[in-house]
Structures are given as structure tokens and as C-alpha cells.
């Protein structure tokens, strides 16, 4: 009999493309994953990993075994869902992926609530951008993902996934103090032509949105600095090195040398939770969705017009 944990390790290496990536996704050290694969090689009397430069690659036999492992793990997951549903409470392990600002601005409160309300549930967090996070959920490597997209750049979602729409996260134009555009109460998008930008790197959904927005004005944006972390973007904006379009979630208070202005119509990214349809009955999923909704609403209370 092949050990299920070792099959899971092999499948994770196949999905993430490296031992390190598999270790990060499963919450183990790279050494532990390598040991699991080595034991599986001895069990199957088959070479599964081959050295390639500083990394490894799966052999043909390993790819076939990983495909089988994916089907086995899906059956095991369905059995676990049924058992957890029968118990009527959230138990076991739940791996949640979230894009960086959600991991900072939303997930800490959610995870803290689940620790108190579901003591038998072991929730783990994996920071991941929306594109790979959606794929990880579809492949069964992650149980639930908090993702974001834009109306003009929708996130592709595979069949077999369910979605909870949490709400919209407004985006502000951030400028260094003293910039001429700070004299405007709101900055029309046409006035953004000819500016230098600070943006997340290509391949990120926020970057795709900036490109599309500026191209609609007839201009290719001049991105001077590619920076993945929003706090670093704020430091560069404060230094007068460019402008940024940065969402509010997880951004924190702005320093005094940065001014925020709306860009009408106010852009906003859409925040969703994704999970596999076959796990919808799992109490751990429903408990996590309830906590996400609760804390999202706490961060975004309904606007009450002044009397």
C-alpha cells in the first residue's frame, strides 16, 4: 500500500513545480518533502525525481503517479467532507490562500475568530496572487482562496468552483505632496496621461488593470518602478518618484507626504472567496465563509448619508 501522505507530497511537487513550492503549500520543510518522495521511490521501486541544475524534475513515471494521486486525493477529500458533515462541526486542516493585502488586512481577524469558534480546526494561510490561487483551489491543493479581480479584468474561474462575492475594494490615486494634480478634488483619468507610474510587476491582476485603464485613454503607461509590495510603493510615491493607483484594503494610514484623490468613476477591485463545489457541505468551509463575510462587513460598514 502506498502512503497517502507521500502521494500528496508527490502531487504537490507536480503542481508547484518544485520541492520548495510543495513544502510551502503543505506547511512542511523542503527536507520533509524530499524524505517523503524518497520513501515513495523505495515503496514503488521507481525513480520519481531527477536532478536538473539546482532543482528537480518529475520522471514520466512520476507524472503518471501524480495524476493517479490527484484522483485518489479527490476521493479522500470527498470522504472527509462526508465525515465532517456527519460530525456537524469544523475539524481537521483547512488551507486558505489569499492575495497579499487580504492576507494583511482581512485574514488576521478571520483566522483569530476561527481559532476561538472552531478549536478543532487547524487553519493555515498561504499568500498567493489570484491567478495561481484560483488554480490551486481547482487542483485541490488549497481548500479556499480569497481572490480579487476587476470588472474589466475578470479572473478566470474553472468549472467546479463556487464563489462568494464579498464586496468592492475602492482604489485611490496616490500622489506625493505638492504634485499639481493634488489641487483637484477628483482627477479625471484623462489627466493621468504623461505621468510616471509605480506598479506591481507584470503577471499581477492589478498590473493588468492599470495597463487596460491607461490604454483606454490612448496611452501606454510609463511604469518607472515595478514593486510587488504596496508599502514599498508608498515609500516611492512619498519620495516623488511616481504616482500609484492603490486599493484601500490592507493599505493602512497614509503618511502625511502622500495625498489620495478619487479617479471618477471610482475604480474598485472585486473581492471574492473561491472553493470547490464538492466541499460546500463541509462545516469548515461554511464557518470560514461566515467569518469572512462578518469581518469584511466590519471593515466596510454601510454608508449612511448625513441628515
Amino acid at each position: 500500500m502506498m502512503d497517502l501522505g507521500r502521494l500528496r507530497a508527490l502531487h504537490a511537487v507536480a503542481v508547484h513545480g518544485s520541492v520548495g513550492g510543495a513544502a510551502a503549500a503543505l506547511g512542511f520543510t523542503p527536507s520533509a518533502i524530499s524524505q517523503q518522495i524518497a520513501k515513495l521511490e523505495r515503496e514503488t521501486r521507481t525513480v520519481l525525481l531527477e536532478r536538473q541544475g539546482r532543482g528537480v524534475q518529475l520522471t514520466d513515471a512520476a507524472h503518471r503517479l501524480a495524476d493517479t494521486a490527484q484522483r485518489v486525493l479527490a476521493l479522500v477529500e470527498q470522504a472527509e467532507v462526508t465525515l465532517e458533515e456527519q460530525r456537524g462541526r469544523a475539524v481537521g486542516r483547512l488551507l486558505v490562500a489569499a492575495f497579499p493585502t487580504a492576507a494583511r488586512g482581512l485574514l488576521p481577524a478571520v483566522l483569530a475568530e476561527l481559532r476561538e469558534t472552531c478549536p478543532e480546526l487547524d487553519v493555515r494561510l498561504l499568500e498567493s496572487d489570484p491567478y495561481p490561487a484560483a488554480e490551486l483551489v481547482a487542483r485541490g491543493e488549497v481548500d479556499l482562496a480569497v481572490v480579487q479581480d476587476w470588472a474589466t479584468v475578470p479572473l478566470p474561474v474553472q468549472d467546479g468552483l463556487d464563489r462568494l462575492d464579498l464586496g468592492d475594494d475602492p482604489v485611490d490615486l496616490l500622489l506625493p505632496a505638492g504634485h499639481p494634480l493634488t489641487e483637484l478634488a477628483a482627477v479625471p483619468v484623462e489627466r493621468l496621461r504623461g505621468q510616471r507610474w509605480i506598479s506591481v510587476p507584470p503577471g499581477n491582476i492589478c498590473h493588468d488593470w492599470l495597463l487596460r485603464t491607461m490604454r483606454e485613454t490612448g496611452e501606454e503607461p510609463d511604469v518607472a518602478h515595478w514593486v510587488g509590495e504596496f508599502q514599498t510603493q508608498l515609500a516611492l510615491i512619498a519620495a516623488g518618484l511616481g504616482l500609484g493607483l492603490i486599493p484601500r484594503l490592507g493599505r493602512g494610514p497614509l503618511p502625511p507626504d502622500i495625498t489620495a484623490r478619487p479617479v471618477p468613476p471610482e475604480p474598485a477591485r472585486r473581492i471574492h472567496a473561491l472553493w470547490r463545489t464538492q466541499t460546500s457541505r463541509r462545516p469548515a468551509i461554511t464557518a470560514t465563509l461566515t467569518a469572512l463575510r462578518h469581518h469584511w462587513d466590519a471593515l466596510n460598514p454601510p454608508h449612511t448619508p448625513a441628515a
Side-chain angles (χ1 to χ4, degrees):
M1 294 289 292
M2 284 180 280
D3 181 86
L4 185 62
R6 293 163 195 165
L7 289 175
R8 191 184 302 277
L10 177 65
H11 178 245
V13 174
V15 168
H16 297 281
S18 70
V19 170
L26 296 180
F28 295 108
T29 64
S31 176
I33 296 296
S34 296
Q35 290 175 20
Q36 290 283 69
I37 300 298
K39 291 177 180 177
L40 186 58
E41 287 182 324
R42 291 195 293 271
E43 284 180 346
T44 60
R45 300 178 183 178
T46 305
V47 175
L48 300 174
L49 296 183
E50 293 178 336
R51 285 286 175 188
Q52 185 180 49
R54 294 185 177 181
V56 296
Q57 65 176 3
L58 273 67
T59 63
D60 290 342
H63 281 293
R64 290 193 293 270
L65 185 55
D67 290 341
T68 301
Q70 182 176 10
R71 296 192 294 272
V72 170
L73 293 172
L75 290 172
V76 170
E77 178 182 65
Q78 192 58 50
E80 291 173 341
V81 168
T82 300
L83 291 173
E84 187 177 328
E85 185 181 23
Q86 289 177 345
R87 294 188 188 103
R89 61 185 188 276
V91 299
R93 177 178 288 194
L94 187 82
L95 182 57
V96 178
F99 60 95
T101 47
R104 179 171 63 245
L106 177 61
L107 267 296
V110 172
L111 299 181
E113 177 180 320
L114 292 172
R115 183 182 59 189
E116 295 297 321
T117 60
C118 306
E120 297 178 271
L121 182 63
D122 179 14
V123 186
R124 305 293 179 97
L125 176 62
L126 172 68
E127 186 178 289
S128 173
D129 286 327
Y131 290 137
E135 294 181 1
L136 290 174
V137 176
R139 293 172 178 170
E141 289 296 306
V142 165
D143 298 298
L144 184 146
V146 179
V147 299
Q148 51 104 349
D149 68 1
W150 307 83
T152 55
V153 190
L155 178 69
V157 177
Q158 299 183 29
D159 292 338
L161 298 186
D162 280 354
R163 183 174 74 181
L164 170 66
D165 298 327
L166 291 171
D168 292 341
D169 181 24
V171 174
D172 298 312
L173 173 67
L174 301 188
L175 313 101
H179 192 284
L181 291 178
T182 60
E183 298 178 1
L184 302 177
V187 181
V189 68
E190 293 80 11
R191 294 290 299 274
L192 298 178
R193 289 195 293 262
Q195 301 293 331
R196 286 166 63 88
W197 291 97
I198 299 163
S199 173
V200 292
N204 183 293
I205 202 164
C206 288
H207 170 265
D208 294 346
W209 175 80
L210 174 63
L211 287 184
R212 182 166 298 191
T213 298
M214 293 309 301
R215 285 170 179 171
E216 288 175 355
T217 72
E219 178 180 271
E220 189 75 15
D222 177 16
V223 180
H225 306 287
W226 306 100
V227 178
E229 173 55 53
F230 282 156
Q231 293 304 310
T232 306
Q233 290 190 32
L234 292 179
L236 294 170
I237 294 170
L241 299 174
L243 310 186
L245 284 164
I246 299 183
R248 296 175 189 170
L249 177 63
R251 191 176 69 196
L254 293 176
D257 46 4
I258 290 181
T259 299
R261 290 289 183 266
V263 180
E266 184 179 64
R269 57 181 180 177
R270 308 178 300 186
I271 311 301
H272 318 285
L274 300 176
W275 68 96
R276 290 181 297 286
T277 302
Q278 69 180 19
T279 66
S280 293
R281 304 189 322 273
R282 186 181 175 192
I285 294 292
T286 57
T288 304
L289 293 174
T290 298
L292 282 168
R293 168 57 70 193
H294 171 233
H295 289 285
W296 176 265
D297 291 344
L299 287 171
N300 301 274
H303 174 67
T304 302

